[in-house]
């Protein structure tokens, strides 16, 4: 196997005196769906923000495809092939659904027509084709989440960071998203997702990484991780697994 | 969206063509009024680019108008060179000033109200410096020499009422076409994405500093070109009138009233604001009470923004759309 | 030489305290309402007219005129918020900007229509009187203006710290949704803030009416001074307005001394620029943006 696609080397991040991340090491090989789980405040979103360049780590390094990307601004990180979605969806309200999805494509093409085609492809992938010309204000929450995903896809990422993209969705809607993610992973895309709903993690992920107090406490297949006593104690045991 | 475009193109083309054809029949007052309308439509498009497309509320655009105006006037009166050469110097200087403000704002995280105040501070500081700088005429300004009888407008960029009318009409048409093109171009999408949500846009690979600074620079260069024409039209240039806050306010009222971020808003805004200023002025004079113009103009502004939340142009589009449906 | 320098600098500090009062009004309105009052300078000018006429018609000294101006302008600010500005609270910044430009134009127009375009200067022996403070000799009108402004700023601080209503205002400034939740009457608090802001401007205007000639077009200049003052100090911070005002007064005075009186405004804008770039939210502004 070649070098991992993404490497976190001793990442720490402090806010005031509190360590949100504390010497986190993580290797992500090419391909597969990895779920990053952990109780609230475990440092999952901080971890995402550091990978995506929205935050700088207090110490440590982020390597992507062998290249150090620590401290690069978010746009440069995206242009190297890492796309992210936000926990709270942030559509651009004055652009149509299709136009929202075009923005990411402008990182790799100068042509509006090409971007439009790429955006249409991305919308098709998440099932939003019928609403391409709608105003984003008229979208339902699941549709907005899908738009968030389509926007990230239009950047043609090699690594996709999904921050609770399924929160607030009904189980059938979430299942549809899982199917989309599986299809993307089958196409060679590497996916790292933060997710609260354990049922989805078990269903979608090929690997689960558990964070607790900013450090990694378990790493393995979903089946291995749910049987890990430390995980059960710190996280799974503390909260019921799955909201109805 | 569709009606917006079609209506805009038909109305815009009809307006510009009509004004071009009607030129020989216009009386002096109408022609000079329309000249100002078109000039401020151009200024409005320049600030629309920074404010409406990119979301940077600049209250210091008079600085760029002044830089353009002074560059051309100084190059022609002090050095006897062509005003085109003056534009060649003035527009890049203004663009550099705009880029510098944009860069400072980005580098130091100055945004929203603070950005507006940064722009005011830079503009006011330059106004005071120009007022005390003898080389540029100080508060006394620079008066343009009388035109020679053999004047060729395209060489001196000065002329009679018809020349300024034609030049302003050309700028307004070009400005509107430019913004229409930019809106549908790659950079237009990137600007609007940055305006709507900068963090999300950056996460999608939009190079925020580059594109914001670019918007500031283009907007500044456009304003400088308008400022040069404005100085020639006035025949004189003072720091207070060409760099003052009053001009900055005048420049941005049109696009805000007309509809920020729309292609035709600044044009519609200028068509309303400039005559409104003139009418309230003459009305105040004819009533013989000083201050009436200011009261009328102020009340009209408050009324317009109170009644038309998104601006005049979106309101017109909505009106036409509902008429369309009723038919 | 040194003494005359000190005199000029002290004069700058005294005017700076009045600037601080003007800035306090702007900063309270912004802090509570999140609205920038671009008509603030016009409200100062309204106070100047009140100061002028209180002196020339009634023979009242500036500090008494300031109380009248504060009361009248409080009512004006309160009603303005309730009847007009309230409807624009949720609108974008550029719309609010046009609203206040419109208000400023109307106020200037009213001044022109009622008092005419000519400058009104308070005259009489008081304008020449000086008082000695140790080695310094200060203009009485400036001392009086600074003293009045200091008293008003102090009472404002006490009101915000101690009075229940003042505490409610500070709560609303800190956390709008929170204050809605705990049942504060936010529209009324906004109107109060608007009234207090206008009262500060009006009182400051009355206080400086014997120092500067009153004319209708001074508004923009005072608005800009108020901006510089509060931005240097930090928009939304009273302590910031105080420090900002004194700094601007000092900067103007020392620029007039060291370079050229004409360049004093350029100097304070330079100071503003420096502060904006080093501390984008002002010397006393919250860092989190």
């Amino acid at each position: 196997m070649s070098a991992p696609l993404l490497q976190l080397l001793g990442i720490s991040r402090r806010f005031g005196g509190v360590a949100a991340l504390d010497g986190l090491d993580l290797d992500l090989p090419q391909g597969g769906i990895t779920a990053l789980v952990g109780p609230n405040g475990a440092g999952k979103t901080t971890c995402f923000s550091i990978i995506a360049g929205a935050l700088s780590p207090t110490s440590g390094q982020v390597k992507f495809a062998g290249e150090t990307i620590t401290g690069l601004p978010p746009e440069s990180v995206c242009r190297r092939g890492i796309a992210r979605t936000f926990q709270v969806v942030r559509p651009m309200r004055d652009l149509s659904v299709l136009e929202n999805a075009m923005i990411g494509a402008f990182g790799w093409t100068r042509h509006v027509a090409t971007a439009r085609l790429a955006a249409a492809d991305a919308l098709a992938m998440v099932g939003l084709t019928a609403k391409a010309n709608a105003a984003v204000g008229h979208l339902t929450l699941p549709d907005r989440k899908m738009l968030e995903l389509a926007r990230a896809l239009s950047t043609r990422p090699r690594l996709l960071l999904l921050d609770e993209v399924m929160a607030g969705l009904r189980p059938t809607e979430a299942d549809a998203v899982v199917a989309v993610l599986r299809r993307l992973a089958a196409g060679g895309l590497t996916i790292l997702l933060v997710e609260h709903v354990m049922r989805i993690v078990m269903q979608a992920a090929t690997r689960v990484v558990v964070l607790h107090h900013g450090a990694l406490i378990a790493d393995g297949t979903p089946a291995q991780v749910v049987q890990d006593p430390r995980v059960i104690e710190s996280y799974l045991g503390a909260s019921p697994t799955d909201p109805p | 969206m569709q009606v917006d475009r079609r209506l805009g193109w038909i109305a815009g083309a009809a307006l510009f063509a009509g004004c071009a054809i009607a030129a020989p029949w216009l009386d002096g007052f109408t022609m000079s009024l329309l000249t100002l309308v078109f000039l401020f439509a151009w200024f409005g498009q320049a600030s629309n680019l920074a404010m409406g497309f990119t979301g940077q509320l600049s209250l210091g655009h008079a600085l760029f108008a002044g830089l353009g105006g002074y560059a051309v006037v100084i190059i022609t009166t002090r050095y006897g060179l062509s005003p085109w050469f003056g534009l060649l110097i003035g527009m890049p200087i203004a663009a550099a000033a705009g880029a510098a403000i944009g860069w400072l704002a980005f580098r130091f995280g100055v945004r929203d109200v603070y950005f507006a105040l940064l722009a005011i501070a830079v503009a006011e500081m330059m106004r005071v410096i120009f007022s005390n700088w003898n080389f540029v005429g100080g508060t006394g300004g620079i008066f343009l020499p009388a035109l020679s009888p053999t004047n060729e407008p395209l060489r001196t960029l000065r002329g009679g009422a018809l020349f300024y009318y034609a030049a302003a009409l050309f700028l307004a048409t070009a400005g509107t076409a430019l913004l229409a093109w930019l809106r549908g171009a790659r950079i237009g999408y990137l600007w609007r994405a940055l305006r709507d949500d900068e963090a999300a846009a950056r996460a999608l690979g939009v190079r925020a500093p580059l594109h914001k600074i670019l918007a500031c620079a283009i907007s500044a260069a456009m304003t400088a070109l308008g400022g040069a024409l404005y100085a020639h039209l006035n025949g004189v240039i003072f720091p207070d009138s060409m760099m003052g806050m009053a001009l900055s306010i005048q420049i941005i009222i049109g696009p805000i009233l007309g509809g920020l971020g729309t292609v035709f808003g600044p044009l519609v805004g200028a068509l309303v604001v400039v005559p409104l200023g003139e009418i309230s002025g003459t009305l105040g004079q004819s009533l013989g009470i000083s201050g009436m113009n200011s009261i009328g103009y102020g009340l009209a502004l408050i009324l317009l923004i109170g009644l038309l939340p998104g601006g005049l142009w979106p309101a017109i589009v909505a009106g036409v759309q509902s008429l369309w449906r009723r038919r | 030489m040194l003494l005359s320098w000190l005199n000029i600098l002290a004069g700058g500090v005294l005017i700076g305290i009045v600037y601080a009062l003007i800035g306090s009004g702007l900063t309270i309105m912004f802090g509570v309402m999140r609205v920038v009052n671009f008509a603030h300078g016009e409200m100062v000018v309204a106070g100047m007219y009140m100061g002028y006429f209180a002196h020339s018609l009634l023979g009242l000294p500036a500090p008494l005129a300031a109380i009248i101006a504060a009361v009248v302008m409080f009512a004006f600010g309160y009603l303005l918020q309730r009847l007009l500005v309230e409807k624009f609270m949720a609108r974008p910044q550029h719309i609010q900007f046009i609203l206040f430009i419109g208000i400023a134009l109307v106020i200037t127009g009213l001044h022109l229509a009622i008092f005419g375009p000519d400058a009104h200067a308070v005259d009489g022996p008081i304008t020449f009187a000086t008082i000695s403070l140790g080695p310094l000799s200060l203009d009485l009108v400036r001392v009086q203006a600074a003293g009045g402004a200091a008293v008003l700023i102090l009472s404002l601080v006490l009101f915000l710290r101690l009075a229940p209503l003042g505490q409610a205002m500070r709560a609303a400034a800190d956390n709008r949704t929170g204050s809605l939740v705990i049942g504060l009457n936010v529209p009324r608090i906004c109107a109060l803030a608007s009234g207090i802001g206008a009262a500060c401007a009006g009182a400051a205007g009355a206080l400086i009416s014997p120092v500067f000639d009153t004319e209708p077009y001074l508004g923009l200049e005072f608005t800009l001074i108020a901006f510089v003052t509060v931005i240097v100090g930090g928009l939304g911070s009273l302590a910031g307005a105080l420090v900002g005002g004194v700094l601007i007064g000092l900067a103007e005075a020392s620029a007039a001394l060291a370079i050229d009186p004409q360049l004093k405004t350029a100097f304070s804008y330079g100071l503003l620029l420096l502060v904006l770039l080093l501390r984008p939210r002002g010397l006393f502004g919250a860092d989190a943006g």
Side-chain angles (χ1 to χ4, degrees):
Chain A
M1 276 297 281
S2 55
L5 183 65
L6 179 78
Q7 254 184 314
L8 302 184
L9 302 169
I11 297 282
S12 295
R13 169 73 204 199
R14 284 168 201 290
F15 295 103
V18 187
L21 286 178
D22 193 8
L24 177 67
D25 291 303
L26 182 67
D27 280 7
L28 220 57
Q30 174 82 44
I33 301 178
T34 305
L36 188 61
V37 302
N40 277 330
K44 302 175 304 255
T45 296
T46 306
C47 177
F48 264 33
S49 297
I50 286 173
I51 299 172
L55 270 181
S56 290
T58 314
S59 62
Q61 274 198 333
V62 184
K63 283 190 166 184
F64 181 67
E67 197 185 352
T68 304
I69 60 165
T70 329
L72 286 181
E75 57 268 28
S76 307
V77 173
C78 176
R79 283 160 167 264
R80 280 170 167 71
I82 302 180
R84 75 172 296 184
T85 66
F86 289 91
Q87 198 173 348
V88 180
V89 290
R90 309 175 75 155
M92 287 135 191
R93 59 192 153 65
D94 271 15
L95 301 181
S96 73
V97 171
L98 184 75
E99 287 170 333
N100 258 276
M102 284 164 66
I103 300 301
F106 284 124
W108 50 266
T109 179
R110 307 194 66 81
H111 302 287
V112 176
T114 315
R116 192 167 276 133
L117 287 176
D121 283 350
L123 290 180
M125 236 177 290
V126 301
L128 273 182
T129 304
K131 291 167 184 160
N133 291 317
V136 286
H138 295 147
L139 292 185
T140 58
L141 180 70
D143 282 348
R144 282 186 207 202
K145 296 245 170 190
M146 287 305 95
L147 176 57
E148 189 87 7
L149 180 57
R151 277 200 322 198
L153 288 176
S154 72
T155 66
R156 293 204 172 154
R158 296 167 67 190
L159 170 64
L160 185 59
L161 307 175
L162 301 176
D163 200 349
E164 298 205 18
V165 77
M166 279 164 279
L169 300 193
R170 285 193 291 267
T172 47
E173 292 162 348
D175 288 344
V177 179
V178 170
V180 171
L181 297 185
R182 284 222 175 109
R183 217 162 46 236
L184 291 169
L189 184 64
T190 311
I191 297 174
L192 179 63
L193 55 89
V194 162
E195 196 47 72
H196 265 309
V197 185
M198 275 318 281
R199 186 181 67 86
I200 290 169
V201 172
M202 301 297 288
Q203 212 182 339
T206 46
R207 173 186 173 198
V208 178
V209 175
V210 186
L211 272 187
H212 190 53
H213 291 314
L216 205 149
I217 59 164
D219 184 352
T221 65
Q224 286 167 343
V225 165
V226 287
Q227 278 155 18
D228 189 313
R230 290 178 65 197
V231 175
I232 294 169
E233 183 201 343
S234 72
Y235 175 47
L236 300 175
S239 68
T241 47
D242 201 352
Chain B
M1 214 63 186
Q2 273 312 317
V3 178
D4 179 358
R5 291 273 161 73
R6 233 180 312 154
L7 184 66
W9 287 120
I10 296 168
L15 179 74
F16 289 129
C19 285
I21 295 165
W25 291 280
L26 293 177
D27 62 277
F29 173 77
T30 316
M31 186 174 269
S32 65
L33 184 65
L34 282 174
T35 304
L36 279 181
V37 166
F38 292 133
L39 183 60
F40 275 89
W42 166 260
F43 279 139
Q45 292 294 16
S47 63
N48 189 26
L49 198 154
M51 200 167 39
F53 279 20
T54 332
Q56 311 190 80
L57 178 60
S58 167
L59 299 185
H61 259 57
L63 169 65
F64 310 128
L67 288 175
Y70 271 105
V72 168
V73 169
I74 287 172
I75 287 288
T76 53
T77 59
R78 293 275 148 85
Y79 300 101
L81 297 171
S82 159
W84 291 99
F85 184 64
L87 285 178
L88 213 61
I89 292 180
M91 287 171 68
I93 289 179
I101 293 176
W103 180 81
L104 286 175
F106 190 86
R107 169 70 184 72
F108 294 94
V110 179
R111 46 183 73 229
D112 300 335
V113 187
Y114 300 90
F115 180 83
L117 296 171
L118 174 73
I120 293 180
V122 177
E124 281 293 302
M125 205 164 77
M126 287 307 287
R127 179 184 65 80
V128 178
I129 290 173
F130 269 58
S131 300
N132 293 280
W133 188 7
N134 286 331
F135 176 70
V136 300
T139 40
I142 303 175
F143 286 82
L144 295 171
L147 280 175
S148 82
T150 57
N151 173 58
E152 294 169 46
L154 283 178
R155 274 189 48 202
T156 59
L157 290 183
R158 295 173 61 195
L162 187 63
F163 165 72
Y164 290 117
Y165 176 76
L169 179 61
F170 171 76
L171 282 186
T173 315
T176 307
L178 178 68
L179 275 259
W181 174 71
L182 283 174
R183 194 173 205 278
R186 174 176 181 268
I187 196 164
Y189 283 112
L190 299 182
W191 280 335
R192 282 150 65 207
L194 280 172
R195 175 198 62 192
D196 281 359
D197 191 330
E198 186 171 324
R202 296 184 78 181
L204 293 170
V206 181
R207 282 174 291 196
L210 173 75
H211 291 301
K212 287 180 96 166
I213 291 169
L214 206 57
C216 285
I218 297 175
S219 175
M222 286 173 71
T223 310
L225 177 56
L229 187 69
Y230 197 33
H232 276 186
L233 178 67
N234 292 335
V236 57
I237 184 163
F238 300 110
D240 282 358
S241 62
M242 279 298 283
M243 277 189 176
M245 178 92 179
L247 180 62
S248 290
I249 293 173
Q250 231 179 323
I251 286 176
I252 68 165
I253 282 181
I256 293 179
L257 277 190
L260 266 189
T262 64
V263 170
F264 295 98
L267 182 63
V268 178
L271 271 170
V272 172
V273 170
V274 175
L276 191 66
E278 294 293 322
I279 291 167
S280 61
T282 36
L283 204 68
Q285 263 169 10
S286 61
L287 288 177
I289 309 171
S290 57
M292 284 314 279
N293 54 337
S294 186
I295 297 176
Y297 189 58
L299 286 178
L301 288 185
I302 297 172
L303 213 63
L304 281 172
I305 51 162
L307 296 177
L308 307 168
L312 281 160
W313 177 246
I316 294 172
V317 171
V320 171
Q321 253 167 345
S322 74
L323 274 181
W324 211 261
R325 250 178 258 127
R326 209 175 296 161
R327 242 180 14 156
Chain C
M1 181 65 179
L2 181 68
L3 200 60
S4 70
W5 278 45
L6 279 177
N7 269 329
I8 294 179
L9 289 182
V13 171
L14 292 177
I15 285 303
I17 295 174
V18 182
Y19 290 170
L21 179 60
I22 299 175
S24 301
L26 191 68
T27 228
I28 283 182
M29 291 175 86
F30 180 81
V32 176
M33 299 151 62
R34 297 282 138 189
V35 165
V36 179
N37 178 12
F38 281 89
H40 207 62
E42 278 71 13
M43 298 181 182
V44 175
V45 177
M48 289 178 79
Y49 276 110
M50 287 180 226
Y52 171 80
F53 283 106
H55 175 84
S56 59
L57 299 181
L58 308 172
L60 291 179
L64 273 182
I67 295 174
I68 299 176
V71 172
V72 173
M73 290 309 289
F74 177 86
F76 174 76
Y78 190 95
L79 291 176
L80 185 72
Q81 172 69 19
R82 277 264 115 130
L83 300 178
L84 185 63
V85 180
E86 201 169 274
K87 296 166 181 62
F88 290 85
M89 293 290 280
R91 305 280 298 277
Q93 248 156 26
H94 56 260
I95 297 288
Q96 292 170 352
F97 167 73
I98 299 283
L99 170 68
F100 280 100
I101 291 300
I103 294 170
L105 282 167
V106 172
I107 298 177
T108 303
L110 286 173
H111 286 153
L112 267 168
I114 302 171
F115 308 115
D118 299 329
H120 292 66
V122 167
D123 46 23
I126 186 169
T127 52
F128 302 109
T130 57
I131 58 169
S132 301
L133 195 81
L136 296 175
S137 138
L138 303 166
D139 296 342
L140 180 61
V141 286
R142 285 184 183 237
V143 174
Q144 189 182 279
V151 169
L152 286 173
I153 295 173
L154 193 69
S155 20
L156 195 56
V157 171
L158 289 178
F159 168 74
L160 289 175
R161 297 256 159 217
L162 302 178
L165 207 52
Q167 288 167 340
M169 276 178 70
R170 288 199 313 165
D174 286 345
N175 186 340
R176 172 159 305 239
T177 19
S179 47
L180 271 174
V181 170
I182 61 169
L184 292 181
N185 184 343
V186 172
R188 186 160 155 262
I189 287 174
C190 284
L192 272 177
S194 172
I196 292 175
C200 289
L207 286 170
I208 48 169
S209 60
V211 184
F212 301 120
D213 293 356
T214 305
E215 0 166 352
Y217 291 115
L218 281 179
L220 193 56
E221 203 172 305
F222 280 117
T223 302
L224 290 172
I225 285 176
F227 284 162
V228 177
T229 300
V230 296
I231 297 290
V232 165
L235 204 46
S237 151
L238 263 188
L242 190 57
V243 173
V246 173
L247 271 180
I248 297 299
L250 263 177
E252 286 190 353
S254 45
L257 270 179
I259 311 168
D260 182 346
Q262 296 288 313
L263 280 174
K264 64 173 194 177
T265 19
F267 217 75
S268 39
Y269 286 117
L271 181 67
L272 168 67
L273 223 65
L274 206 67
V275 170
L276 261 183
L277 296 181
L278 296 180
R279 282 192 59 97
R281 317 233 167 259
L283 294 176
F284 287 76
D287 258 335

